Amino acid sequence: MNSSVMNTYNRYPVSFREGNGAWLTSLDNKKFLDFSSGIAVNILGHNHPEINKTFEMQANKIWHVSNLYTIPEQELLAKKLCELSFAEKVFFCNSGAEAVEGAIKIARKFQSFKGSVERNEIITFKNSFHGRTLATLAAASNSLHTEGFNPIPDGFVNIPLDENILKKTISDKTAGILIEPVQGEGGINPVSNEFLVFIRKLCDENKILMILDQVQCGMGRTGKLFSHEWSGIEPDIVTLAKGLGAGFPIGAVLASEEASKGMQQGSHGSTFGGNPVGCSIALKVIELIEKEEILNNVTRLSGILICELEKLVEKHHNKISGVRGKGLIIGVECIEKNSVITDLAFQNGLLLVNAANNVIRFLPPLNISENEVMEAIKKFDETLSNLDI
Ligand SMILES: *Cc1c(COP(=O)(O)O)cnc(C)c1O
């Protein structure tokens, strides 16, 4: 197609006319079961009537005022996020990368505010993904993404997920440790609870900050509102975006009072961050997660989806080799090329997402039904069978 849009994505030859729950209808009226959810964004499916109503009501009141004024919707959302977590302060932005940038700035400022200006390095992990801005690219240190964009900012040490290496890497230059509790783009790698507990301990001992990037695995995706809840620890900083607005762009950095004490008037900002529309919607999303008992649904259907996928691994053992994940962020390891399988699944009306290391991601909306899960399994089974033809 001759497009004026910059060529940064390999796009499927399809456009969607409308969405309804877990289903999308293309311009040529084909139905697709959406197990991509806009890459973990549409956590309550498409066209949720209550979210639409909230959007409309807010849009008819006020869209944007700058952060030069107090924004009541922002105050309410920040209060709610704090009530539901370890956090005592929230900074609002518009995307995941921006949230991670904010987290990095907060960690460095925390150290410099205490007088440890030289403590400015952030430890990160192999196979991670933190966004596409220069600092977040530097954080993930993935050469596929940094190629051609030199100079990449320094101040990051990227290491394997290994307790001994981590312990040895911490130095008097370390400001904090940044990790995804479940790596998303990297191929759905859940970090063990023990590893998170270990990081917490190291951070306490060394007076450095524990930063959890939950842009993809937060907002109920793992069956808890925040994925670290599984491990019992409390981090110092958490980043959110993707699912927070269930389709409306909004990001947030959650921090403890202590971690954010260096952040003062003028330390950071965002013109659009925390606008009334995004904040009203995110508040409604959180309310719906509570009201519709979404987290129970995630855990119940996670069990079913993983069990059914494991059966398919047995049946198609020459094409797929394993299943891993937590809640409704599930990865299938492939033997055949993942993109060949997802292209065929697409043709069969099932939307899935590729991840690194030849993994296919299943990211259905969190309010998906059991019937829809079984429908996806049927389509995936057919897809794998059709690979032979
Ligand atoms: C998607 C993602 C980001 C980047 O989010 P954008 O909104 O695309 O900037 C950062 N961290 C993680 C873990 C992600 O999955």
Side-chain angles (χ1 to χ4, degrees):
M1 190 175 86
N2 184 12
S3 168
S4 303
V5 175
M6 201 172 284
N7 193 24
T8 56
Y9 278 91
N10 178 12
R11 296 171 203 272
Y12 282 96
V14 71
S15 296
F16 300 107
R17 180 162 56 77
E18 64 177 47
N20 196 344
W23 294 87
L24 284 167
T25 309
S26 65
L27 290 180
D28 54 355
N29 289 320
K30 214 180 147 207
K31 292 252 186 232
F32 292 83
L33 183 51
D34 186 5
F35 268 51
S36 69
S37 303
I39 317 189
V41 168
N42 306 97
I43 55 175
L44 297 173
H46 300 276
N47 228 338
H48 193 292
E50 290 203 45
I51 299 177
N52 287 7
K53 208 165 74 192
T54 302
F55 175 74
E56 226 171 274
M57 267 170 47
Q58 186 60 50
N60 285 324
K61 282 199 284 187
I62 195 163
W63 282 40
H64 173 84
V65 292
S66 90
N67 279 301
L68 297 175
Y69 311 100
T70 302
I71 300 173
E73 296 80 7
Q74 199 181 111
E75 297 290 331
L76 287 173
L77 177 59
K79 188 152 176 272
K80 187 78 184 170
L81 287 167
C82 290
E83 273 167 19
L84 293 170
S85 73
F86 68 97
E88 290 150 317
K89 296 285 175 197
V90 183
F91 177 85
F92 290 108
C93 52
N94 311 285
S95 69
E98 217 185 329
V100 178
E101 290 266 348
I104 295 164
K105 284 182 72 177
I106 292 168
R108 288 190 179 154
K109 195 75 168 182
F110 167 79
Q111 299 293 356
S112 68
F113 185 75
K114 285 196 317 178
S116 313
V117 203
E118 70 291 351
R119 275 196 175 273
N120 51 35
E121 235 168 48
I122 309 282
I123 298 176
T124 61
F125 296 91
K126 297 268 175 266
N127 285 316
S128 60
F129 180 82
H130 299 296
R132 298 288 200 148
T133 59
L134 289 166
T136 56
L137 283 181
S141 301
N142 179 342
S143 55
L144 278 175
H145 294 162
T146 55
E147 156 78 34
F149 296 114
N150 284 327
I152 297 294
D154 57 14
F156 298 90
V157 193
N158 190 262
I159 61 168
L161 276 166
D162 178 286
E163 290 192 3
N164 283 328
I165 297 176
L166 173 58
K167 199 168 174 179
K168 279 193 220 132
T169 306
I170 293 176
S171 72
D172 51 12
K173 290 198 71 186
T174 309
I177 300 172
L178 166 64
I179 187 167
E180 292 167 84
V182 182
Q183 289 186 336
E185 311 291 317
I188 314 300
N189 305 306
V191 171
S192 72
N193 289 334
E194 294 73 41
F195 198 74
L196 292 181
V197 170
F198 181 72
I199 293 180
R200 180 68 273 170
K201 191 168 140 268
L202 282 181
C203 286
D204 289 341
E205 286 168 6
N206 293 281
K207 297 190 168 50
I208 59 179
L209 298 180
M210 177 172 188
I211 309 164
L212 297 182
D213 183 351
Q214 300 193 30
V215 167
Q216 190 158 163
C217 66
M219 292 306 289
R221 184 57 56 190
T222 65
K224 304 266 190 203
L225 189 60
F226 302 105
S227 58
H228 64 265
E229 290 172 36
W230 292 105
S231 67
I233 57 103
E234 293 197 331
D236 301 300
I237 301 176
V238 161
T239 58
L240 295 177
K242 291 194 167 91
L244 180 57
F248 193 90
I250 178 171
V253 193
L254 279 54
S256 67
E257 180 89 50
E258 174 72 7
S260 51
K261 71 182 178 191
M263 300 301 279
Q264 295 167 338
Q265 290 177 11
S267 292
H268 199 31
S270 165
T271 299
F272 293 123
N275 72 83
V277 182
C279 289
S280 296
I281 291 174
L283 255 178
K284 178 55 77 175
V285 170
I286 294 170
E287 190 188 297
L288 287 169
I289 288 177
E290 289 174 333
K291 197 174 90 185
E292 297 182 354
E293 297 192 19
I294 296 295
L295 300 180
N296 289 340
N297 194 59
V298 171
T299 301
R300 190 174 75 84
L301 293 184
S302 170
I304 296 173
L305 183 52
I306 288 176
C307 174
E308 293 298 324
L309 285 172
E310 275 168 352
K311 287 188 211 162
L312 293 187
V313 169
E314 257 178 55
K315 181 172 170 190
H316 301 280
H317 55 86
N318 52 340
K319 295 161 194 160
I320 55 175
S321 54
V323 181
R324 59 189 185 223
K326 196 160 194 157
L328 290 176
I329 175 164
I330 296 174
V332 171
E333 296 163 37
C334 302
I335 297 167
E336 290 277 348
K337 185 147 180 43
N338 58 355
S339 59
V340 171
I341 301 176
T342 50
D343 284 359
L344 211 56
F346 165 76
Q347 285 167 33
N348 201 23
L350 175 64
L351 302 183
L352 298 167
V353 193
N354 296 321
N357 298 310
N358 212 26
V359 165
I360 295 176
R361 265 179 286 180
F362 284 68
L363 297 164
L366 306 184
N367 58 356
I368 191 91
S369 72
E370 185 170 341
N371 280 342
E372 287 161 336
V373 165
M374 295 315 293
E375 178 89 26
I377 288 293
K378 185 166 150 266
K379 286 179 186 292
F380 195 54
D381 185 14
E382 288 165 1
T383 300
L384 292 168
S385 299
N386 286 345
L387 270 180
D388 297 327
I389 303 168

